[in-house]
């Protein structure tokens, strides 16, 4: 057995050395053939790959910072504009996930102790939803000329990317300290994003995350901030989650300022639902209710006029073509367009393809999550999607109710509030396929899902130590 183990170790080491030499050689060739920029990119890719192969944790830290701070590249063509109404966006973390994922798969290939997909309660729901997306898109390709197989494949791969983040995280998480470190990292990234948002406020433009292009995506930043605010409040109101909660308390106004400046009404709408969820499940409701009442009382004196005007704009926009009316009240054109898309899909287009929909990219862009899922993947896809959402909520709620660790309790509570807030945000946005919201959300979900296993391992370890101590005492 010892000889076999040594042979396996030698084989693995030889494989690693061979891989590094091959990558270095490829990098040298690329550097000679391509421009300086490409050479730098290739070198960076080699460094990240090597770091990821050596330490999955280092790779995950790099990934966490790139989720919101990585640049975006846009490739647009007439075909893409026709099929989706928007261009294909490639971001730095897309390439990063590809590099880290390749290193991870190579590590799995040479170490039989690692598994590709660790068993979790979400594996089957994720697989069902991805299968529904593929099935609907293949059916759409065969029956709907609007489906572009190349663009559709790209979008399905983007969906898979979010879940790959989840699986890379759950495969690595083993200890409580890892969850604490990753949570702190999520909060640090949030703080940096808030600083960038506050920096934009004097410009008078709607704030957005870094590297979002010329127009930016304020609604995306708003959804992300609602999610992170829920995590911060969950940790704040849970006694014992952190020894020093002053940094958490200081982070709240840093989040609220850019959240207001996004002028994202969908995010503002999500905010009260997120807070109500935290109040409903928190064991210290007054710790949320009392500050909330104070904030509501002083908000008329603190809110900028631009924020008040933006909220009122929903019902005070001057008369324009395309506005819907509810009684004598006019609704602004942006909100009207979203409501009209819901009506059109539910009453007309959905009934033409009820089971599998039109396929990914088979229907024009719709800025709302449920109608998008329904029209793209039909009832089969919608049912699979709702099963996945239900599994996420049940798992977070079970962890929150059963965990005895204050840190874990605070994270699970924050996740519950974030989840409900994002559901409301998704009424007017494709929240659950937006990269800059879903990548951190699925990473946070991985932390919550792994809590029971980590707690059980810690309890088993304590029990074994106690038994060993009893045996030593008996001697």
């Amino acid at each position: 057995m010892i000889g076999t183990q040594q042979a396996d170790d030698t084989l693995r080491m030889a494989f690693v050395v061979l891989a590094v030499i091959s990558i270095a050689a490829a990098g040298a060739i690329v550097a000679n053939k391509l421009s300086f920029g490409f050479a730098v990119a290739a070198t960076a890719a080699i460094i990240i790959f090597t770091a990821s192969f050596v330490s999955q944790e280092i790779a995950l830290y790099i990934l966490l910072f790139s989720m919101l701070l990585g640049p975006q590249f846009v490739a647009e063509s007439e075909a893409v504009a026709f099929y989706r109404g928007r261009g294909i966006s490639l971001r730095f973390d897309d390439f990063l996930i590809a590099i880290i994922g390749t290193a991870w798969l190579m590590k799995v290939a040479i170490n039989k102790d690692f598994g590709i997909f660790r068993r979790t309660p979400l594996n089957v729901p994720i697989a069902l939803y991805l299968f529904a997306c593929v099935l609907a898109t293949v059916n759409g390709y065969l029956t709907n000329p609007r489906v572009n197989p190349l663009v559709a494949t790209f979008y399905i791969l983007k969906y898979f990317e979010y879940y790959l983040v989840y699986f890379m995280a759950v495969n690595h998480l083993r200890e409580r300290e890892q969850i604490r470190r990753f949570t702190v990292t999520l909060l640090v990234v949030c703080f940096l994003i808030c600083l960038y948002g506050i920096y934009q406020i004097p410009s008078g433009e709607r704030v957005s995350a870094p590297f979002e292009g010329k127009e930016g995506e304020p609604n995306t930043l708003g959804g992300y901030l609602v999610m992170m605010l829920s995590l911060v409040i969950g940790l704040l109101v849970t006694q014992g989650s952190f020894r020093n909660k002053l940094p958490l308390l200081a982070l709240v106004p840093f989040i609220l300022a850019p959240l207001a400046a996004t002028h994202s009404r969908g995010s503002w709408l999500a905010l009260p639902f997120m807070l109500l969820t935290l109040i409903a499940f928190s064991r210290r409701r007054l710790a949320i209710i009392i500050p909330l009442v104070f904030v509501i009382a002083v908000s008329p004196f603190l809110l900028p006029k631009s924020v008040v005007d933006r909220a009122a704009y929903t019902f005070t926009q001057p008369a324009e073509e395309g506005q819907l009316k509810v009684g004598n009240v006019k609704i602004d054109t942006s909100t009207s367009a979203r409501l009209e898309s819901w009506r059109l899909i539910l009453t007309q287009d959905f009934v033409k393809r009820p089971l599998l929909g039109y396929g990914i990219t088979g229907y024009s862009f719709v800025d709302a999550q449920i109608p998008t899922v329904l029209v793209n993947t039909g009832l089969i896809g919608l049912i699979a999607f709702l099963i996945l959402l239900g599994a996420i909520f049940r798992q977070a709620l079970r962890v929150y109710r059963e965990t005895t660790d204050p840190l874990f309790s605070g994270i699970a509570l924050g996740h519950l509030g974030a989840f409900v807030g994002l559901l409301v945000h998704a009424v007017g946005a494709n929240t659950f396929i937006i990269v800059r919201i879903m990548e951190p959300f699925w990473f946070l979900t991985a932390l919550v899902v792994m809590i029971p296993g980590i707690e059980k391992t810690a309890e088993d370890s304590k029990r074994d130590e106690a038994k060993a101590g009893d045996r030593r005492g008996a001697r």
Side-chain angles (χ1 to χ4, degrees):
M1 291 293 293
I2 295 176
T4 303
Q5 180 66 35
Q6 289 176 342
D8 289 343
D9 292 341
T10 302
L11 182 62
R12 292 169 188 164
M13 182 58 67
F15 185 88
V16 172
V17 172
L18 180 61
V20 171
I21 292 174
S22 300
I23 294 170
I29 295 172
V30 169
N32 286 328
K33 296 290 185 181
L34 300 178
S35 66
F36 176 77
F38 280 103
V40 171
T43 303
I46 293 171
I47 294 172
I48 293 172
F49 177 88
T50 304
S52 303
F53 192 89
V54 172
S55 172
Q56 186 71 14
E57 184 152 338
I58 292 176
L60 291 174
Y61 285 128
I62 296 173
L63 183 59
L64 282 175
F65 278 94
S66 74
M67 287 177 182
L68 272 294
L69 297 170
Q72 175 174 286
F73 315 97
V74 177
E76 187 166 321
S77 66
E78 291 183 3
V80 172
F82 175 78
Y83 284 104
R84 284 298 283 174
R86 56 171 55 185
I88 291 178
S89 62
L90 294 173
R91 301 177 61 250
F92 175 72
D93 50 303
D94 293 325
F95 300 102
L96 194 61
I97 289 174
I99 295 168
I100 294 172
T102 302
W104 173 43
L105 291 174
M106 287 183 63
K107 203 168 185 178
V108 169
I110 64 174
N111 192 331
K112 59 186 178 182
D113 295 331
F114 295 150
I116 296 180
F117 299 121
R118 193 173 184 179
R119 184 176 299 177
T120 75
L122 301 185
N123 288 30
V124 172
I126 288 172
L128 284 175
Y129 179 57
L130 284 175
F131 176 75
C133 290
V134 173
L135 180 64
T137 303
V138 171
N139 177 72
Y141 172 67
L142 297 175
T143 60
N144 182 8
R146 287 175 62 96
V147 174
N148 182 318
L150 178 62
V151 179
T153 300
F154 171 82
Y155 275 96
I156 292 174
L157 287 175
K158 291 284 281 187
Y159 297 174
F160 179 74
E161 179 181 300
Y162 315 141
Y163 307 129
L164 187 61
V165 169
Y166 168 79
F167 284 115
M168 284 194 295
V170 299
N171 272 37
H172 176 71
L173 292 168
R174 295 291 186 277
E175 302 172 356
R176 179 188 187 277
E177 184 60 22
Q178 289 177 315
I179 290 185
R180 189 194 68 82
R181 290 197 299 266
F182 283 127
T183 301
V184 170
T185 304
L186 283 168
L187 297 173
V188 169
V189 173
C190 178
F191 175 67
L192 295 176
I193 294 300
C194 290
L195 288 180
Y196 181 81
I198 292 170
Y199 166 75
Q200 296 176 77
I201 291 176
S203 70
E205 300 292 330
R206 297 176 64 186
V207 305
S208 61
F211 308 111
E212 286 283 9
K214 293 181 180 179
E215 296 183 1
E217 293 288 346
N219 199 34
T220 296
L221 177 60
Y224 166 79
L225 292 176
V226 169
M227 176 178 64
M228 293 307 299
L229 180 61
S230 181
L231 176 61
V232 171
I233 295 175
L235 292 168
L236 268 173
V237 300
T238 303
Q239 191 170 5
S241 60
F242 278 96
R243 291 182 181 177
N244 184 2
K245 293 189 177 182
L246 283 179
L248 290 172
L249 187 61
L251 187 54
V252 172
F254 275 91
I255 294 176
L256 290 176
L259 177 58
T262 61
H263 290 183
S264 168
R265 291 169 294 178
S267 303
W268 297 346
L269 180 64
L271 188 59
F273 287 91
M274 177 269 285
L275 292 170
L276 287 173
T277 303
L278 294 177
I279 292 170
F281 290 108
S282 175
R283 301 180 183 98
R284 302 177 66 206
R285 294 183 176 88
L286 290 179
I288 303 175
I289 294 174
I290 293 175
L292 180 60
V293 170
F294 174 76
V295 170
I296 293 174
V298 301
S299 59
F301 307 100
L302 297 179
L303 287 176
K305 185 176 182 298
S306 61
V307 173
V308 176
D309 291 344
R310 177 64 177 173
Y313 181 79
T314 305
F315 307 106
T316 61
Q317 182 189 31
E320 287 190 20
E321 185 179 352
Q323 289 177 332
L324 296 178
K325 285 188 176 181
V326 180
N328 294 324
V329 178
K330 294 179 297 184
I331 300 175
D332 74 284
T333 51
S334 177
T335 305
S336 295
R338 286 176 168 84
L339 294 175
E340 180 64 15
S341 68
W342 277 78
R343 186 196 67 80
L344 186 64
I345 289 171
L346 293 176
T347 62
Q348 296 183 30
D349 295 338
F350 158 68
V351 296
K352 297 176 183 177
R353 291 173 174 263
L355 288 181
L356 290 171
Y358 293 77
I360 306 295
T361 73
Y363 192 86
S364 57
F365 175 74
V366 181
D367 208 3
Q369 186 66 54
I370 296 300
T372 294
V373 174
L374 187 60
V375 80
N376 283 340
T377 61
L379 282 174
I380 291 177
L382 180 61
I383 292 171
F385 182 67
L386 294 177
I387 289 173
L388 176 57
L389 295 183
I392 293 171
F393 181 79
R394 286 194 304 272
Q395 181 65 14
L397 183 59
R398 184 175 74 86
V399 170
Y400 176 65
R401 286 175 172 172
E402 296 180 359
T403 184
T404 57
D405 188 300
L407 173 63
F408 294 163
S409 181
I411 293 172
L413 177 61
H415 185 278
L416 283 169
F419 179 73
V420 173
L422 293 181
L423 285 178
V424 177
H425 186 270
V427 171
N430 288 309
T431 306
F432 286 87
I433 57 174
I434 294 176
V435 176
R436 292 197 166 189
I437 297 176
M438 281 298 100
E439 285 182 349
F441 172 77
W442 277 103
F443 197 97
L444 181 60
T445 301
L447 300 185
V448 173
V449 167
M450 292 308 298
I451 285 172
I454 290 175
E455 282 195 311
K456 185 177 184 303
T457 300
E459 290 173 2
D460 291 344
S461 178
K462 289 180 180 178
R463 192 179 300 113
D464 292 341
E465 290 178 2
K467 289 180 180 179
D470 291 340
R471 285 196 295 268
R472 286 193 297 268
R475 293 175 185 172

